[in-house]
Amino acid sequence: MNDFSRKEIIDILRDDTLNSWLFNYADEIRQKYVGNEVHLRGLIEFSNICKNACKYCGLRCENKNVERYRLTPDDIVKTAFEASKIGYKTIVLQSGEDAFFSRKILCNIIENIKNFDVALTLSIGERSFDDYKAFKESGADRYLIRIETTDKNLYSFMHPNMEFENRLNCVKSLKDLGYELGTGCLVGLPEQTIESLADDILFFKESDADMIGIGPFIPHPQTPLKDAKQGNFILALKVMALTRILLKDINIPATTAMETLNPNGRIIALQSGANVIMPNVTVSKYSSKYEIYPNKPCVEDNSVNFKKNLEERILSIGRVISKDYGFRKKTK
Ligand code: SAH
């Protein structure tokens, strides 16, 4: 009953009369396999400099209207320390593909942060196998790299000068190297089909991902997709719920993009299969410049107060805040 076929996934995605059943079912599976705990991961957006030109992303190199910034390695480590002091058990380092951060510089940052008794996640895009290996040896625990879409033609259109095969190889290498692997997709890209979303979900299962991040596409005014229709919140929620039902014991964040489209988006996501939130701990003068899409709600997210409020919201829906690192506990 749990393992839907491709056709069943497509039917469920198409049929909105099934939505409450789907969200409740995903919530039950979440409760059964990962329990009541919500894991908070402190996100540091350490550089908005990027060599790529992803058509949907506000940080694409061709956008000349972004004020670019890069935190110094010392500031990155300091921000991570502050986050660990207020109770974060995981630090996520995210950036554009910024060549300043060489293997050596990153290994050093990783080694320093690992002194703070935290799990460490990287989300810095495509690197060589040897880089990934070195980061792992320096102590990185997890890596997030969304496949974005498994539709190869759509992938090529969205990512000028990038190769789908290369993205796929990155995903495989990271898994082989023993990282906890996070991948995921965008929902609502122009020309994206329901069939390809079903393929994305099946890809998550096949790649044995440990975490899946799903977010609606939000058009950024300084990109070629500025006039495109934005992704649908409910459809993104459905892709997420189906992912919970099929992959069961993995970690699934209630993504910030969901909160952008719905003021209660992250709480709704927590009640439809998600069990992770990634609050922004970057100082706001930088976080506001890390505009992958507009109206990011997390720009004010970096204070102790924000964390308290969030925790209260989580408790109010009968969930608890996890005190451990929040690694995937595989049930099979
Ligand atoms: N450079 C890193 C991190 C990218 S930012 C990498 O390549 O993995 C993290 C995620 O933000 C991306 O994987 C993408 O799925 C999402 N994103 C980018 N632009 C977006 C937009 N306009 N709307 C919604 N999500 C977006």
Side-chain angles (χ1 to χ4, degrees):
M1 164 75 182
N2 285 348
D3 272 347
F4 297 127
S5 66
R6 182 173 188 270
K7 177 165 184 313
E8 284 167 325
I9 295 173
I10 293 169
D11 290 345
I12 294 168
L13 288 175
R14 287 226 165 92
D15 184 350
D16 276 336
T17 65
L18 299 173
N19 290 0
S20 1
W21 162 80
L22 175 67
F23 299 143
N24 287 330
Y25 186 21
D27 198 42
E28 268 171 40
I29 298 280
R30 187 270 310 152
Q31 179 65 39
K32 180 168 171 203
Y33 285 88
V34 299
N36 244 347
E37 292 191 339
V38 175
H39 303 282
L40 302 183
R41 329 275 207 205
L43 174 68
I44 306 178
E45 297 159 334
F46 67 91
S47 166
N48 69 355
I49 298 173
C50 192
K51 70 172 167 60
N52 292 328
C54 308
K55 289 216 171 91
Y56 45 78
C57 182
L59 301 183
R60 63 201 310 273
C61 59
E62 285 167 23
N63 182 3
K64 305 294 178 212
N65 291 314
V66 197
E67 200 184 310
R68 303 283 171 173
Y69 73 88
R70 166 189 292 147
L71 267 68
T72 64
D74 277 355
D75 279 343
I76 298 171
V77 174
K78 213 174 109 214
T79 310
F81 177 66
E82 298 296 332
S84 72
K85 256 194 349 202
I86 63 169
Y88 287 103
K89 300 303 283 177
T90 292
I91 302 297
V92 183
L93 297 184
Q94 191 178 84
S95 69
E97 293 200 9
D98 179 354
F100 167 84
F101 289 95
S102 62
R103 185 188 301 175
K104 198 165 153 217
I105 292 177
L106 277 164
C107 285
N108 203 275
I109 294 170
I110 294 164
E111 281 156 23
N112 279 308
I113 294 180
K114 284 300 286 184
N115 289 324
F116 306 148
D117 186 28
V118 287
L120 183 59
T121 307
L122 299 176
S123 174
I124 58 175
E126 297 180 12
R127 307 280 298 216
S128 69
F129 183 88
D130 288 343
D131 278 1
Y132 288 154
K133 188 158 177 276
F135 303 153
K136 187 80 184 53
E137 285 165 359
S138 291
D141 302 284
R142 312 186 181 122
Y143 205 104
L144 306 178
I145 185 160
R146 289 185 177 172
I147 195 76
E148 313 295 1
T149 172
T150 54
D151 176 334
K152 284 191 194 182
N153 288 334
L154 185 60
Y155 186 94
S156 309
F157 175 77
M158 289 293 164
H159 305 97
N161 309 319
M162 290 172 79
E163 296 283 339
F164 180 76
E165 288 303 320
N166 197 42
R167 197 87 178 163
L168 213 50
N169 282 336
C170 289
V171 169
K172 286 190 183 133
S173 302
L174 290 161
K175 188 79 198 176
D176 291 346
L177 283 164
Y179 282 91
E180 274 207 345
L181 169 71
T183 185
C185 66
L186 285 161
V187 176
L189 290 168
E191 309 297 327
Q192 186 178 37
T193 62
I194 292 289
E195 286 79 2
S196 85
L197 288 170
D199 291 333
D200 294 352
I201 297 169
L202 294 170
F203 168 79
F204 303 154
K205 176 102 189 168
E206 189 190 295
S207 59
D208 192 22
D210 304 294
M211 311 173 273
I212 294 294
I214 288 154
F217 156 67
I218 303 167
H220 189 290
Q222 280 136 17
T223 63
L225 301 183
K226 62 179 188 302
D227 298 322
K229 201 168 142 233
Q230 73 177 21
N232 179 300
F233 173 74
I234 295 294
L235 184 59
L237 206 60
K238 291 179 76 171
V239 174
M240 191 198 80
L242 281 162
T243 301
R244 168 62 72 201
I245 294 165
L246 269 89
L247 282 81
K248 302 182 179 65
D249 60 10
I250 62 160
N251 286 317
I252 299 185
T255 56
T256 314
M258 296 239 190
E259 188 96 342
T260 303
L261 293 195
N262 183 312
N264 205 26
R266 281 192 286 205
I267 294 291
I268 297 171
L270 284 179
Q271 295 175 307
S272 315
N275 69 322
V276 171
I277 291 194
M278 292 167 56
N280 206 314
V281 298
T282 322
V283 286
S284 51
K285 76 169 169 183
Y286 294 126
S287 179
S288 58
K289 298 188 177 98
Y290 194 87
E291 203 188 54
I292 47 187
Y293 49 80
N295 306 322
K296 253 186 10 166
C298 51
V299 171
E300 79 294 3
D301 275 14
N302 39 35
S303 67
V304 179
N305 274 346
F306 173 80
K307 187 161 178 282
K308 274 213 188 104
N309 286 342
L310 179 67
E311 289 179 356
E312 275 162 25
R313 282 169 79 199
I314 293 169
L315 295 175
S316 78
I317 57 165
R319 304 281 277 278
V320 296
I321 314 294
S322 168
K323 294 197 169 63
D324 74 16
Y325 304 110
F327 286 100
R328 176 187 189 185
K329 294 181 189 75
K330 265 199 166 187
T331 51
K332 51 179 180 339

